[in-house]
Amino acid sequence: MTGRRGLISAFIAFHLVALAVNSLPDPRLRPPVQPSGAPVLDGLAANLQAFEATIARIVAPLRPLTEPYITIGLEQKWDMFSNPLPTDQYVRVDQYVVSSGSQRVRVFEELAVPAQREDQPRFVHKFRDKAVLVVRDEFLAAHSRDAKLADAPRVVRPLAKYFRDRFRRDYLNADEDVVRTEVWLGEAPIPPPGQRLTDPQLEQRLAVLQRYWNGPYERSTSTALPTLGAAQQEADIVWKLEYAERP
Amino acid sequence: MSVLDRWQRFWFQPIPTHIYALLRIVLGAIGCITLIGLSDVSTFWDPNGFVPVGSGFGVKTFVLAHGLGHAAGLALYVCTLASFVCMTIGFASTISVMMAMFLSVVQLAWNHLPLSGADSALRAFLFCLMWADCGSVWSVDAWIRRTHVSAPANQPIYAIAPLRLIRFQIALIYFNAGLWKLLNPFWRNGSAVHYVLETNVYHRFPVFLPATFDWVIPLLTYGTLFWELAFAFLVLFRPTRRVAIVLGILLHVGMLLTIEIGPFHWIMLASYLAFLDPRTVSRFLLPLKKQEPRPDFADAHMPAARS
């Protein structure tokens, strides 16, 4: 083997090892295996998790070598659809608006996700939906790591700012401004296999969503500002206030 | 044959470069289409848009402070799109593939929010492709060379290593995805596909599978799980490789029809081209060019400078 081929071979071997090592997730991030009703697979998963943790410990000394290489753009996490949620997902952004010379606060609610009507076929990918869902996932991950939400404002701020700027530009007059922006995460249950939403349940939910599909919707104002963690229910959608900021 | 010889043969066996050209064209085209989907510069590229500002090595903070946010975002978008267009048509192929890879990494640091597994996969494939000679055929480069310099007598060849790295990458994607899935109770109890198909953020059509067809759900769930776990092993052998690839095509086409998650399925389907026989690919256009002899690679040797 020539020296050149020797170098290329060493690079190939390093590349393969680096990809394999860094594709092993940190065992601390894996939740313990929950019983699923399939004992054989549960046992397999539990053994696999233990084996994976052992391998991760063995290759841990390699990580300082491989991680800098992986950060050149080869970071990979292939967990798509690995954690399907038994709920439909919604994200809503509320804007509190005042006019100069007026004390009255008007509240406008905008559905951020899904951007497209869910009662119609979708043929075009909405990258904005993906961006909002990434923010939601990162927020929930930060929340699970840190109950005091130290990291969450940084994660959600681009979402709140984007929708506020857009709302200002598209809907407000020169004498109006946004004084508070809230981000609400919504969930509605997906019935388990063998069950379906009944027609009245579906109609109720679609009636709620219909209000949002024509753009920001003005809600009748209540006097008290909701606090973080506050909940609202519309049909079978349960909303939770996760973030609020004053621009 | 010694282990060393086997290793050399496995990684350095010469193949026609057409397979690399095909991957360059298809992956470049998908990159272009993805970027067209991200063409709203003020939303996805301007740091004043839907872009996290704290990341990006302080560059975004700097351009924002100097009022250059939109210009910087626009410049990054145009350069990234230009690199993918050049890659697709094969203009300055080697450099354009490297630039496409580099700017994809910059895009990730600039704004990762609208990006998905599709972009990770594309970057991983570009990384492998940038070590290959993917511009010597089916490219503007080759056309310029033919019109300005005398055509080379032999078919261009290159080491198989980049192709094998792409194949390894595909296998790693599925194996890893399978392992993640196995650790989730919905995948183990056979109901995961039900929730994936029904969820409002992914479903393509607002119709629910009739309850009488629910027996299909465990079949699809376990089928996907075991196929992903087995893919890496099935592609090792020629007969099972075909089964793995056909099942993969069916899976991705089925998902394309039922859920909407952007370019991921297109990228994965395109990556399957890496499993085509390179010699077969080199003959794709031969019926159109009858004057060219069938290439014979039996005695081909690696260009020394490129091996």
Side-chain angles (χ1 to χ4, degrees), chain A residues 4-5 8-9 23 30 34 36 42 69 73 76 78 81-83 88-90 118 121-122 125 131 138 161 191 194 196, chain B residues 7-8 48 105 112-113 123 127 169 176-177 180 183-184 187-189 194 200 203-204 209 214 260 262 302 305 307:
Chain A
R4 187 183 177 85
R5 283 195 175 180
I8 294 172
S9 296
S23 68
R30 297 271 213 205
Q34 303 287 334
S36 71
D42 288 352
Y69 172 71
Q76 306 181 18
W78 303 113
F81 300 121
S82 68
N83 187 23
D88 285 329
Q89 302 295 310
Y90 300 93
E118 64 183 63
R122 295 175 182 142
H125 181 61
E138 289 181 357
K161 180 182 176 300
R196 296 292 181 273
Chain B
W7 172 273
Q8 288 222 57
N48 289 301
V105 176
H112 68 285
L113 295 179
R123 274 194 308 278
F127 181 81
Q169 179 63 61
N176 218 272
W180 274 99
L183 295 178
N184 181 274
W187 282 96
R188 294 198 303 275
N189 71 17
H194 167 78
N200 67 328
H203 70 216
R204 191 178 286 284
L209 191 70
D214 271 352
E260 199 296 290
M302 291 294 299
S307 66

Short mmCIF file of all heavy atoms in Angstrom, two decimals, chain A residues 4-5 8-9 23 30 34 36 42 69 73 76 78 81-83 88-90 118 121-122 125 131 138 161 191 194 196, chain B residues 7-8 48 105 112-113 123 127 169 176-177 180 183-184 187-189 194 200 203-204 209 214 260 262 302 305 307:
data_model
loop_
_atom_site.label_atom_id
_atom_site.label_comp_id
_atom_site.label_asym_id
_atom_site.label_seq_id
_atom_site.Cartn_x
_atom_site.Cartn_y
_atom_site.Cartn_z
N ARG A 4 0.20 7.28 0.37
CA ARG A 4 -1.01 8.06 0.14
C ARG A 4 -2.26 7.24 0.50
O ARG A 4 -3.16 7.71 1.18
CB ARG A 4 -1.05 8.49 -1.32
CG ARG A 4 -2.17 9.45 -1.65
CD ARG A 4 -2.16 9.74 -3.15
NE ARG A 4 -3.26 10.61 -3.50
CZ ARG A 4 -3.23 11.92 -3.41
NH1 ARG A 4 -2.14 12.52 -2.97
NH2 ARG A 4 -4.27 12.65 -3.75
N ARG A 5 -2.23 5.99 0.02
CA ARG A 5 -3.38 5.12 0.34
C ARG A 5 -3.45 4.81 1.83
O ARG A 5 -4.52 4.65 2.39
CB ARG A 5 -3.31 3.83 -0.47
CG ARG A 5 -3.73 4.05 -1.90
CD ARG A 5 -4.02 2.76 -2.60
NE ARG A 5 -4.53 3.02 -3.94
CZ ARG A 5 -4.87 2.09 -4.80
NH1 ARG A 5 -4.74 0.83 -4.47
NH2 ARG A 5 -5.34 2.41 -5.98
N ILE A 8 -5.12 7.75 3.39
CA ILE A 8 -6.57 7.74 3.08
C ILE A 8 -7.26 6.65 3.91
O ILE A 8 -8.35 6.86 4.44
CB ILE A 8 -6.81 7.53 1.58
CG1 ILE A 8 -6.27 8.74 0.80
CG2 ILE A 8 -8.29 7.34 1.28
CD1 ILE A 8 -6.27 8.56 -0.71
N SER A 9 -6.60 5.50 4.02
CA SER A 9 -7.18 4.40 4.81
C SER A 9 -7.37 4.81 6.26
O SER A 9 -8.40 4.53 6.87
CB SER A 9 -6.28 3.17 4.74
OG SER A 9 -6.23 2.68 3.43
N SER A 23 -22.78 8.55 17.00
CA SER A 23 -24.20 8.23 16.79
C SER A 23 -24.78 7.55 18.01
O SER A 23 -26.00 7.40 18.13
CB SER A 23 -24.37 7.33 15.56
OG SER A 23 -23.82 6.07 15.81
N ARG A 30 -31.36 8.99 27.69
CA ARG A 30 -32.37 7.96 27.38
C ARG A 30 -33.27 7.73 28.59
O ARG A 30 -32.77 7.43 29.68
CB ARG A 30 -31.68 6.63 27.06
CG ARG A 30 -30.79 6.66 25.84
CD ARG A 30 -31.58 6.31 24.63
NE ARG A 30 -30.77 5.60 23.67
CZ ARG A 30 -31.04 5.60 22.38
NH1 ARG A 30 -32.05 6.26 21.91
NH2 ARG A 30 -30.29 4.91 21.54
N GLN A 34 -39.92 1.71 29.38
CA GLN A 34 -41.23 1.56 30.00
C GLN A 34 -41.90 0.30 29.45
O GLN A 34 -41.73 0.00 28.27
CB GLN A 34 -42.13 2.76 29.67
CG GLN A 34 -41.56 4.10 30.06
CD GLN A 34 -41.59 4.32 31.56
OE1 GLN A 34 -42.42 3.75 32.24
NE2 GLN A 34 -40.66 5.11 32.07
N SER A 36 -44.46 -1.87 27.58
CA SER A 36 -45.34 -1.48 26.47
C SER A 36 -46.45 -2.49 26.22
O SER A 36 -47.31 -2.27 25.38
CB SER A 36 -44.51 -1.33 25.19
OG SER A 36 -44.08 -2.60 24.74
N ASP A 42 -39.90 -5.61 25.02
CA ASP A 42 -39.50 -4.81 26.19
C ASP A 42 -38.17 -5.33 26.74
O ASP A 42 -37.27 -4.55 27.07
CB ASP A 42 -40.56 -4.87 27.29
CG ASP A 42 -41.80 -4.07 26.93
OD1 ASP A 42 -41.75 -3.37 25.90
OD2 ASP A 42 -42.81 -4.17 27.65
N TYR A 69 -14.17 16.60 15.20
CA TYR A 69 -14.30 16.23 13.79
C TYR A 69 -15.78 16.25 13.36
O TYR A 69 -16.13 16.78 12.30
CB TYR A 69 -13.70 14.84 13.59
CG TYR A 69 -13.93 14.25 12.22
CD1 TYR A 69 -13.27 14.76 11.11
CD2 TYR A 69 -14.81 13.19 12.04
CE1 TYR A 69 -13.49 14.21 9.85
CE2 TYR A 69 -15.02 12.64 10.80
CZ TYR A 69 -14.36 13.16 9.70
OH TYR A 69 -14.58 12.62 8.46
N GLY A 73 -19.81 19.49 10.69
CA GLY A 73 -21.06 19.41 9.92
C GLY A 73 -21.61 18.01 9.83
O GLY A 73 -22.54 17.75 9.07
N GLN A 76 -25.19 14.06 13.82
CA GLN A 76 -26.34 13.29 13.34
C GLN A 76 -27.14 12.78 14.52
O GLN A 76 -26.58 12.31 15.50
CB GLN A 76 -25.86 12.10 12.51
CG GLN A 76 -24.95 12.52 11.39
CD GLN A 76 -24.49 11.36 10.54
OE1 GLN A 76 -25.08 10.28 10.57
NE2 GLN A 76 -23.45 11.58 9.78
N TRP A 78 -30.60 10.49 14.49
CA TRP A 78 -31.64 9.92 13.62
C TRP A 78 -32.81 9.41 14.46
O TRP A 78 -33.13 8.24 14.44
CB TRP A 78 -31.04 8.82 12.76
CG TRP A 78 -29.89 9.34 11.96
CD1 TRP A 78 -28.58 9.01 12.09
CD2 TRP A 78 -29.94 10.32 10.92
NE1 TRP A 78 -27.82 9.72 11.20
CE2 TRP A 78 -28.63 10.54 10.47
CE3 TRP A 78 -30.98 11.05 10.32
CZ2 TRP A 78 -28.31 11.44 9.46
CZ3 TRP A 78 -30.65 11.96 9.32
CH2 TRP A 78 -29.35 12.14 8.90
N PHE A 81 -39.46 10.42 14.30
CA PHE A 81 -40.64 9.58 14.60
C PHE A 81 -40.37 8.54 15.69
O PHE A 81 -41.13 7.61 15.87
CB PHE A 81 -41.16 8.85 13.35
CG PHE A 81 -41.59 9.79 12.26
CD1 PHE A 81 -41.02 9.76 11.01
CD2 PHE A 81 -42.58 10.72 12.50
CE1 PHE A 81 -41.41 10.64 10.02
CE2 PHE A 81 -42.98 11.60 11.52
CZ PHE A 81 -42.40 11.55 10.27
N SER A 82 -39.25 8.68 16.40
CA SER A 82 -38.95 7.66 17.41
C SER A 82 -39.78 7.88 18.68
O SER A 82 -39.84 7.00 19.53
CB SER A 82 -37.47 7.67 17.76
OG SER A 82 -37.14 8.86 18.44
N ASN A 83 -40.37 9.05 18.80
CA ASN A 83 -41.17 9.32 19.98
C ASN A 83 -42.52 9.92 19.57
O ASN A 83 -42.79 11.09 19.84
CB ASN A 83 -40.40 10.29 20.90
CG ASN A 83 -41.10 10.49 22.21
OD1 ASN A 83 -41.88 9.65 22.65
ND2 ASN A 83 -40.85 11.62 22.85
N ASP A 88 -52.39 15.72 19.11
CA ASP A 88 -52.19 16.71 18.05
C ASP A 88 -51.53 17.92 18.68
O ASP A 88 -51.75 18.22 19.85
CB ASP A 88 -53.53 17.09 17.42
CG ASP A 88 -54.05 16.00 16.50
OD1 ASP A 88 -53.22 15.31 15.90
OD2 ASP A 88 -55.28 15.85 16.39
N GLN A 89 -50.71 18.61 17.88
CA GLN A 89 -49.89 19.70 18.42
C GLN A 89 -50.32 21.05 17.84
O GLN A 89 -50.54 21.16 16.63
CB GLN A 89 -48.42 19.47 18.07
CG GLN A 89 -47.86 18.16 18.59
CD GLN A 89 -47.82 18.11 20.11
OE1 GLN A 89 -47.32 19.03 20.75
NE2 GLN A 89 -48.39 17.06 20.68
N TYR A 90 -50.38 22.04 18.70
CA TYR A 90 -50.70 23.40 18.26
C TYR A 90 -49.78 24.39 18.98
O TYR A 90 -49.36 24.14 20.11
CB TYR A 90 -52.15 23.76 18.59
CG TYR A 90 -53.15 22.84 17.93
CD1 TYR A 90 -53.62 21.70 18.59
CD2 TYR A 90 -53.59 23.07 16.64
CE1 TYR A 90 -54.50 20.83 17.98
CE2 TYR A 90 -54.48 22.21 16.01
CZ TYR A 90 -54.93 21.09 16.69
OH TYR A 90 -55.80 20.23 16.08
N GLU A 118 -55.79 22.10 8.76
CA GLU A 118 -55.61 20.65 8.90
C GLU A 118 -56.80 19.87 8.36
O GLU A 118 -56.77 18.64 8.40
CB GLU A 118 -55.32 20.29 10.35
CG GLU A 118 -56.42 20.58 11.33
CD GLU A 118 -55.97 20.25 12.76
OE1 GLU A 118 -55.03 20.89 13.23
OE2 GLU A 118 -56.58 19.37 13.37
N PRO A 121 -55.92 18.91 2.29
CA PRO A 121 -54.67 18.21 1.98
C PRO A 121 -53.49 19.19 1.97
O PRO A 121 -53.66 20.37 1.67
CB PRO A 121 -54.90 17.65 0.57
CG PRO A 121 -56.34 17.77 0.32
CD PRO A 121 -56.89 18.84 1.19
N ARG A 122 -52.30 18.67 2.31
CA ARG A 122 -51.10 19.50 2.28
C ARG A 122 -50.16 18.96 1.21
O ARG A 122 -49.75 17.80 1.28
CB ARG A 122 -50.38 19.42 3.62
CG ARG A 122 -51.15 19.99 4.75
CD ARG A 122 -50.38 19.73 6.02
NE ARG A 122 -51.15 20.25 7.14
CZ ARG A 122 -51.23 19.65 8.30
NH1 ARG A 122 -50.58 18.53 8.50
NH2 ARG A 122 -51.94 20.17 9.26
N HIS A 125 -44.47 21.72 1.62
CA HIS A 125 -43.84 21.72 2.94
C HIS A 125 -43.73 23.15 3.45
O HIS A 125 -43.29 24.04 2.72
CB HIS A 125 -42.45 21.09 2.84
CG HIS A 125 -41.73 21.03 4.15
ND1 HIS A 125 -42.21 20.32 5.23
CD2 HIS A 125 -40.57 21.59 4.58
CE1 HIS A 125 -41.38 20.43 6.25
NE2 HIS A 125 -40.38 21.21 5.88
N ALA A 131 -39.81 25.18 11.73
CA ALA A 131 -39.06 26.07 12.64
C ALA A 131 -39.79 26.21 13.97
O ALA A 131 -39.18 26.15 15.04
CB ALA A 131 -38.85 27.43 11.98
N GLU A 138 -37.22 22.17 21.41
CA GLU A 138 -36.06 22.65 22.19
C GLU A 138 -36.53 23.24 23.53
O GLU A 138 -35.86 23.08 24.55
CB GLU A 138 -35.27 23.68 21.40
CG GLU A 138 -34.51 23.05 20.24
CD GLU A 138 -33.69 24.05 19.44
OE1 GLU A 138 -33.74 25.27 19.74
OE2 GLU A 138 -33.00 23.61 18.51
N LYS A 161 -40.55 36.91 18.83
CA LYS A 161 -40.13 38.13 18.11
C LYS A 161 -40.62 38.09 16.67
O LYS A 161 -41.13 39.07 16.14
CB LYS A 161 -38.61 38.26 18.17
CG LYS A 161 -38.08 39.48 17.46
CD LYS A 161 -36.56 39.52 17.51
CE LYS A 161 -36.02 40.71 16.71
NZ LYS A 161 -36.40 40.69 15.30
N PRO A 191 -57.14 9.72 19.60
CA PRO A 191 -57.67 8.46 20.16
C PRO A 191 -56.75 7.29 19.81
O PRO A 191 -56.13 7.29 18.75
CB PRO A 191 -59.03 8.30 19.48
CG PRO A 191 -59.38 9.67 19.00
CD PRO A 191 -58.08 10.34 18.68
N GLY A 194 -58.04 1.76 17.06
CA GLY A 194 -59.34 1.15 17.30
C GLY A 194 -60.41 2.17 17.64
O GLY A 194 -61.60 1.87 17.62
N ARG A 196 -61.74 6.40 17.13
CA ARG A 196 -61.63 7.60 16.31
C ARG A 196 -62.36 8.74 17.01
O ARG A 196 -63.24 8.50 17.84
CB ARG A 196 -62.27 7.38 14.93
CG ARG A 196 -61.60 6.34 14.06
CD ARG A 196 -60.22 6.79 13.62
NE ARG A 196 -59.57 5.80 12.76
CZ ARG A 196 -58.85 4.77 13.18
NH1 ARG A 196 -58.68 4.56 14.48
NH2 ARG A 196 -58.29 3.95 12.32
N TRP B 7 -8.67 -5.03 2.03
CA TRP B 7 -8.96 -3.64 2.39
C TRP B 7 -8.77 -2.72 1.18
O TRP B 7 -9.62 -1.89 0.87
CB TRP B 7 -8.04 -3.21 3.56
CG TRP B 7 -8.13 -1.76 3.90
CD1 TRP B 7 -7.42 -0.75 3.34
CD2 TRP B 7 -8.98 -1.14 4.88
NE1 TRP B 7 -7.77 0.46 3.89
CE2 TRP B 7 -8.73 0.25 4.85
CE3 TRP B 7 -9.94 -1.63 5.77
CZ2 TRP B 7 -9.39 1.16 5.67
CZ3 TRP B 7 -10.59 -0.71 6.61
CH2 TRP B 7 -10.32 0.66 6.55
N GLN B 8 -7.65 -2.92 0.50
CA GLN B 8 -7.37 -2.07 -0.67
C GLN B 8 -8.43 -2.26 -1.73
O GLN B 8 -8.91 -1.30 -2.34
CB GLN B 8 -6.01 -2.44 -1.25
CG GLN B 8 -4.86 -1.99 -0.40
CD GLN B 8 -3.74 -1.41 -1.26
OE1 GLN B 8 -3.96 -0.48 -2.01
NE2 GLN B 8 -2.56 -1.98 -1.16
N ASN B 48 -33.02 39.41 11.52
CA ASN B 48 -34.20 40.05 12.10
C ASN B 48 -35.45 39.18 11.95
O ASN B 48 -36.52 39.54 12.45
CB ASN B 48 -34.47 41.40 11.41
CG ASN B 48 -33.43 42.42 11.79
OD1 ASN B 48 -33.27 42.73 12.96
ND2 ASN B 48 -32.70 42.92 10.81
N VAL B 105 -23.15 23.87 6.16
CA VAL B 105 -22.74 23.93 7.57
C VAL B 105 -22.93 25.35 8.12
O VAL B 105 -23.41 25.54 9.24
CB VAL B 105 -21.26 23.48 7.73
CG1 VAL B 105 -20.80 23.62 9.16
CG2 VAL B 105 -21.11 22.04 7.27
N HIS B 112 -30.71 27.04 12.35
CA HIS B 112 -31.01 25.61 12.29
C HIS B 112 -32.52 25.34 12.39
O HIS B 112 -32.97 24.21 12.20
CB HIS B 112 -30.31 24.87 13.44
CG HIS B 112 -30.87 25.24 14.79
ND1 HIS B 112 -30.60 26.43 15.41
CD2 HIS B 112 -31.73 24.57 15.62
CE1 HIS B 112 -31.24 26.47 16.57
NE2 HIS B 112 -31.93 25.36 16.72
N LEU B 113 -33.30 26.38 12.69
CA LEU B 113 -34.71 26.14 13.01
C LEU B 113 -35.52 25.48 11.89
O LEU B 113 -36.26 24.53 12.16
CB LEU B 113 -35.37 27.44 13.46
CG LEU B 113 -34.83 28.04 14.76
CD1 LEU B 113 -35.53 29.35 15.11
CD2 LEU B 113 -34.96 27.06 15.91
N ARG B 123 -26.04 16.83 4.17
CA ARG B 123 -24.68 17.23 4.53
C ARG B 123 -23.76 16.00 4.60
O ARG B 123 -22.62 16.02 4.11
CB ARG B 123 -24.65 17.95 5.88
CG ARG B 123 -24.91 19.44 5.81
CD ARG B 123 -24.53 20.11 7.11
NE ARG B 123 -25.13 19.49 8.28
CZ ARG B 123 -26.36 19.71 8.69
NH1 ARG B 123 -27.12 20.55 8.04
NH2 ARG B 123 -26.84 19.10 9.75
N PHE B 127 -20.59 15.41 2.20
CA PHE B 127 -19.25 15.22 2.76
C PHE B 127 -18.54 14.06 2.05
O PHE B 127 -17.36 14.15 1.72
CB PHE B 127 -19.33 14.95 4.26
CG PHE B 127 -17.98 14.79 4.90
CD1 PHE B 127 -17.22 15.90 5.25
CD2 PHE B 127 -17.44 13.53 5.12
CE1 PHE B 127 -15.96 15.75 5.82
CE2 PHE B 127 -16.18 13.38 5.69
CZ PHE B 127 -15.45 14.50 6.04
N GLN B 169 -23.12 5.40 5.37
CA GLN B 169 -23.91 6.46 5.99
C GLN B 169 -25.40 6.11 5.97
O GLN B 169 -26.12 6.30 6.95
CB GLN B 169 -23.66 7.77 5.24
CG GLN B 169 -24.42 8.96 5.77
CD GLN B 169 -24.06 9.32 7.19
OE1 GLN B 169 -22.92 9.63 7.48
NE2 GLN B 169 -25.02 9.25 8.10
N ASN B 176 -29.50 3.44 13.28
CA ASN B 176 -29.67 4.34 14.41
C ASN B 176 -31.14 4.68 14.63
O ASN B 176 -31.62 4.70 15.78
CB ASN B 176 -28.89 5.62 14.09
CG ASN B 176 -28.21 6.16 15.31
OD1 ASN B 176 -28.81 6.93 16.02
ND2 ASN B 176 -26.98 5.75 15.55
N ALA B 177 -31.84 4.93 13.53
CA ALA B 177 -33.27 5.25 13.65
C ALA B 177 -34.02 4.06 14.24
O ALA B 177 -34.92 4.23 15.07
CB ALA B 177 -33.84 5.62 12.28
N TRP B 180 -33.39 3.90 18.04
CA TRP B 180 -34.20 4.90 18.76
C TRP B 180 -35.64 4.43 18.89
O TRP B 180 -36.27 4.56 19.93
CB TRP B 180 -34.16 6.24 18.01
CG TRP B 180 -32.98 7.11 18.35
CD1 TRP B 180 -31.84 7.25 17.63
CD2 TRP B 180 -32.84 7.96 19.50
NE1 TRP B 180 -30.99 8.13 18.26
CE2 TRP B 180 -31.57 8.58 19.40
CE3 TRP B 180 -33.65 8.25 20.60
CZ2 TRP B 180 -31.10 9.48 20.36
CZ3 TRP B 180 -33.18 9.15 21.54
CH2 TRP B 180 -31.92 9.76 21.42
N LEU B 183 -36.60 1.74 21.48
CA LEU B 183 -36.67 2.16 22.88
C LEU B 183 -37.96 2.90 23.22
O LEU B 183 -38.13 3.36 24.34
CB LEU B 183 -35.45 3.03 23.22
CG LEU B 183 -34.11 2.28 23.14
CD1 LEU B 183 -32.96 3.20 23.44
CD2 LEU B 183 -34.09 1.09 24.10
N ASN B 184 -38.84 3.05 22.24
CA ASN B 184 -40.11 3.75 22.50
C ASN B 184 -41.26 2.75 22.63
O ASN B 184 -41.40 1.87 21.78
CB ASN B 184 -40.39 4.73 21.36
CG ASN B 184 -41.67 5.50 21.60
OD1 ASN B 184 -42.75 5.04 21.24
ND2 ASN B 184 -41.56 6.66 22.22
N TRP B 187 -43.58 2.03 19.61
CA TRP B 187 -43.03 1.20 18.54
C TRP B 187 -43.03 -0.26 18.95
O TRP B 187 -43.21 -1.15 18.13
CB TRP B 187 -41.61 1.65 18.16
CG TRP B 187 -41.65 2.89 17.31
CD1 TRP B 187 -41.52 4.18 17.74
CD2 TRP B 187 -41.89 2.96 15.91
NE1 TRP B 187 -41.66 5.05 16.69
CE2 TRP B 187 -41.89 4.32 15.54
CE3 TRP B 187 -42.12 2.01 14.90
CZ2 TRP B 187 -42.09 4.76 14.23
CZ3 TRP B 187 -42.32 2.44 13.59
CH2 TRP B 187 -42.31 3.80 13.27
N ARG B 188 -42.84 -0.51 20.24
CA ARG B 188 -42.81 -1.90 20.69
C ARG B 188 -44.21 -2.50 20.78
O ARG B 188 -44.37 -3.70 20.60
CB ARG B 188 -42.10 -2.01 22.04
CG ARG B 188 -40.62 -1.65 21.97
CD ARG B 188 -39.87 -2.18 23.18
NE ARG B 188 -40.41 -1.69 24.44
CZ ARG B 188 -40.09 -0.53 25.00
NH1 ARG B 188 -39.22 0.26 24.40
NH2 ARG B 188 -40.62 -0.16 26.14
N ASN B 189 -45.22 -1.66 21.07
CA ASN B 189 -46.57 -2.26 21.16
C ASN B 189 -47.32 -2.20 19.83
O ASN B 189 -48.50 -2.57 19.76
CB ASN B 189 -47.38 -1.65 22.31
CG ASN B 189 -47.81 -0.21 22.03
OD1 ASN B 189 -47.79 0.25 20.89
ND2 ASN B 189 -48.19 0.50 23.06
N HIS B 194 -49.82 4.46 13.85
CA HIS B 194 -51.15 5.08 14.03
C HIS B 194 -51.00 6.55 14.41
O HIS B 194 -51.62 7.43 13.81
CB HIS B 194 -51.92 4.32 15.12
CG HIS B 194 -53.14 5.02 15.61
ND1 HIS B 194 -54.32 5.02 14.90
CD2 HIS B 194 -53.36 5.76 16.73
CE1 HIS B 194 -55.23 5.72 15.56
NE2 HIS B 194 -54.67 6.18 16.67
N ASN B 200 -51.74 15.87 13.57
CA ASN B 200 -52.15 16.99 12.71
C ASN B 200 -50.98 17.72 12.08
O ASN B 200 -51.16 18.39 11.08
CB ASN B 200 -52.98 17.99 13.52
CG ASN B 200 -52.15 18.68 14.60
OD1 ASN B 200 -51.23 18.10 15.15
ND2 ASN B 200 -52.49 19.91 14.90
N HIS B 203 -49.83 14.80 8.96
CA HIS B 203 -50.65 14.07 7.98
C HIS B 203 -50.86 14.90 6.71
O HIS B 203 -51.02 16.10 6.76
CB HIS B 203 -51.98 13.58 8.57
CG HIS B 203 -52.98 14.64 8.90
ND1 HIS B 203 -53.79 14.57 9.99
CD2 HIS B 203 -53.31 15.79 8.30
CE1 HIS B 203 -54.57 15.62 10.03
NE2 HIS B 203 -54.30 16.38 9.02
N ARG B 204 -50.82 14.21 5.59
CA ARG B 204 -50.96 14.90 4.31
C ARG B 204 -52.44 15.08 3.96
O ARG B 204 -52.83 16.12 3.44
CB ARG B 204 -50.24 14.11 3.20
CG ARG B 204 -50.11 14.89 1.91
CD ARG B 204 -49.37 14.11 0.85
NE ARG B 204 -47.94 14.00 1.06
CZ ARG B 204 -47.06 14.98 0.84
NH1 ARG B 204 -47.47 16.16 0.43
NH2 ARG B 204 -45.77 14.77 1.04
N LEU B 209 -57.68 6.64 8.68
CA LEU B 209 -57.78 5.25 8.23
C LEU B 209 -59.00 4.63 8.93
O LEU B 209 -59.12 4.74 10.15
CB LEU B 209 -56.51 4.51 8.64
CG LEU B 209 -56.27 3.12 8.07
CD1 LEU B 209 -55.95 3.20 6.58
CD2 LEU B 209 -55.12 2.45 8.81
N ASP B 214 -57.41 -1.18 11.05
CA ASP B 214 -56.42 -0.98 12.11
C ASP B 214 -55.43 -2.14 12.24
O ASP B 214 -54.35 -1.97 12.80
CB ASP B 214 -57.11 -0.75 13.46
CG ASP B 214 -57.40 0.73 13.68
OD1 ASP B 214 -56.91 1.53 12.87
OD2 ASP B 214 -58.10 1.07 14.63
N GLU B 260 -46.40 14.60 5.50
CA GLU B 260 -45.70 15.71 4.86
C GLU B 260 -44.60 16.16 5.81
O GLU B 260 -44.88 16.80 6.82
CB GLU B 260 -46.72 16.83 4.60
CG GLU B 260 -46.28 17.84 3.56
CD GLU B 260 -45.07 18.60 4.00
OE1 GLU B 260 -45.17 19.42 4.92
OE2 GLU B 260 -43.99 18.36 3.45
N GLY B 262 -41.40 17.33 4.36
CA GLY B 262 -40.36 18.01 3.61
C GLY B 262 -39.49 17.05 2.81
O GLY B 262 -39.94 15.97 2.42
N MET B 302 -6.25 3.15 -10.88
CA MET B 302 -6.61 4.42 -10.25
C MET B 302 -5.69 5.52 -10.75
O MET B 302 -4.49 5.33 -10.81
CB MET B 302 -6.45 4.33 -8.73
CG MET B 302 -7.44 3.45 -8.08
SD MET B 302 -9.05 4.16 -8.23
CE MET B 302 -8.77 5.69 -7.36
N ALA B 305 -2.99 10.50 -8.86
CA ALA B 305 -3.21 11.73 -8.10
C ALA B 305 -4.52 11.71 -7.34
O ALA B 305 -4.72 12.52 -6.45
CB ALA B 305 -3.18 12.92 -9.03
N SER B 307 -6.08 8.76 -6.11
CA SER B 307 -6.34 7.61 -5.25
C SER B 307 -5.92 7.94 -3.83
O SER B 307 -5.97 7.15 -2.97
CB SER B 307 -5.60 6.40 -5.76
OG SER B 307 -4.22 6.62 -5.66
#
